Amino acid sequence: MKTDGAPTISSAPPTSFQLFLGFLGIGIIGFGGVLPLARRMLVEDRRWLTSDEFVDLLGLCQFLPGGNVINISVAVGMKFRGWRGALASILGLTAVPTAFVIVLGVIYDRYRDDPHVQQVFAGLAAAAAGLLIAMAIKLVRPILTKPAALFIASLLFFAVAFLRLPLLPTMLVLAPLSVLLAWRLRP
């Protein structure tokens, strides 16, 4: 079944090697925020998850400690291939970026006062902001038809963005409320 225009999930679960390659691709081309790339790979390109499954998984992974995409890679790997899939996914995601960050750190340490380097980092920050906005738009689409989910998401956004409440306590309050609303409003 299609979800908000996204293709259905593929019939054959990915192998550990396919998980490694999929997340390796994200790790290689992902600069700044890779969440949009992870969503595209998992939902649109490889069709390992539906759009709704991705949003649900992202919600869980945001609640857990650690980076969202790292948590997603582990969860997707576990879903399809258990601990071997989780290990393959996280290694694929982190191998190249780890080496790249070490090399860039050494270079940046040496040239950080160069105005050209400062301009490059300003441009990268703008690109990362654009990716984040595009991802937010894609994430909100599946919940636009779910008033309770939209209400909870709006409450969370308002509490954190405008009231400046800490994320974890706010989520600890809103998560049970969200579960209760979903349970009470289920068809």
Side-chain angles (χ1 to χ4, degrees):
M1 181 156 82
K2 293 192 178 203
T3 309
D4 78 27
T8 58
I9 58 175
S10 62
S11 57
T15 65
S16 292
F17 187 65
Q18 288 171 323
L19 289 165
F20 175 81
L21 290 178
F23 284 100
L24 179 69
I26 293 170
I28 288 173
I29 65 171
F31 290 87
V34 296
L35 193 56
L37 299 173
R39 185 194 179 281
R40 179 181 298 148
M41 186 270 292
L42 291 167
V43 175
E44 298 169 15
D45 297 341
R46 308 270 177 135
R47 296 183 305 225
W48 293 340
L49 301 173
T50 66
S51 184
D52 286 343
E53 286 174 325
F54 182 83
V55 170
D56 291 344
L57 184 61
L58 177 61
L60 171 66
C61 290
Q62 285 180 324
F63 191 70
L64 298 171
N68 295 335
V69 177
I70 290 173
N71 292 344
I72 287 172
S73 72
V74 171
V76 168
M78 284 294 293
K79 172 182 174 153
F80 292 114
R81 295 292 169 191
W83 70 267
R84 286 178 178 92
L87 184 61
S89 296
I90 198 165
L91 284 175
L93 182 67
T94 60
V96 172
T98 300
F100 196 68
V101 166
I102 291 169
V103 169
L104 278 181
V106 170
I107 293 170
Y108 180 74
D109 188 48
R110 182 160 186 191
Y111 298 105
R112 71 174 155 237
D113 295 327
D114 184 331
H116 295 97
V117 172
Q118 292 171 354
Q119 288 176 354
V120 167
F121 279 94
L124 290 173
L131 285 171
L132 185 61
I133 291 168
M135 185 71 222
I137 291 168
K138 286 185 177 186
L139 287 177
V140 83
R141 282 185 185 151
I143 66 170
L144 287 176
T145 59
K146 301 172 185 172
L150 195 54
F151 173 71
I152 294 295
S154 299
L155 272 178
L156 180 66
F157 177 77
F158 181 77
V160 173
F162 295 109
L163 299 179
R164 303 278 188 200
L165 296 175
L167 180 62
L168 183 60
T170 305
M171 287 181 68
L172 287 173
V173 170
L174 291 179
L177 177 61
S178 177
V179 171
L180 178 66
L181 277 173
W183 177 70
R184 302 266 295 164
L185 298 174
R186 74 181 185 268

